[in-house]
Amino acid sequence: MESRLKVLGHPVHPMLVMFPVALLVTAVLFDVVDTVGGPDFLAEVAYWNITVGLIGGLLAAVAGSFDLLAIPTGTRAKRVGLLHAAANVAVILLFAAVWAVRLNADSRAAGGALIAIEVVAVAILGISAWLGGELVDRLGVGVDRDANLDAPSSLRPPAAARRIGDV
């Protein structure tokens, strides 16, 4: 199924996700470096990366919603899409909590507990990114008019490999 939201023939959602992913991952790296003794300005940069990453994540979510709502119910693509969306909501909520704590703090530094939350959020983001790749590369969501919305998981070996292993 092709994306319903396109710019110059290309689906918008995949174009938007790279920015929040990069900003949020970089924020965590900057916070870790700041915590282990890096330059003080990294905490401030990390905070602003989270700020812009959250805005970008919300924009990507809106674009992704157009595609998610177009996926037929009862398909594997719909199940994967809902899991992908739920994981991304969790990531946004976790980073929003970190952002809110840092908003009016005396220092923009994250510290141990906030960094732990960020690391958990990035781990969930990694899983969600894999699910997004599964949607696009394996299931053809957003890019292929004749997509197989019930294709098996890419973690499952091809049928030929399964037959060879059964011998």
Side-chain angles (χ1 to χ4, degrees), residues 61-149:
V62 169
S65 295
F66 281 89
D67 291 340
L68 180 61
L69 293 172
I71 300 172
T73 57
T75 61
R76 179 169 177 268
K78 187 67 155 195
R79 292 187 302 274
V80 172
L82 289 169
L83 188 55
H84 172 67
N88 286 330
V89 168
V91 169
I92 292 295
L93 290 174
L94 289 169
F95 272 106
V98 169
W99 178 84
V101 168
R102 293 167 80 169
L103 177 63
N104 292 316
D106 293 335
S107 167
R108 298 282 195 210
L114 292 180
I115 291 176
I117 294 169
E118 291 176 359
V119 169
V120 168
V122 166
I124 296 169
L125 184 59
I127 294 166
S128 180
W130 184 87
L131 290 168
E134 186 78 355
L135 284 166
V136 173
D137 292 337
R138 183 71 169 181
L139 298 165
V141 171
V143 295
D144 186 357
R145 181 177 303 130
D146 300 318
N148 180 359
L149 300 179

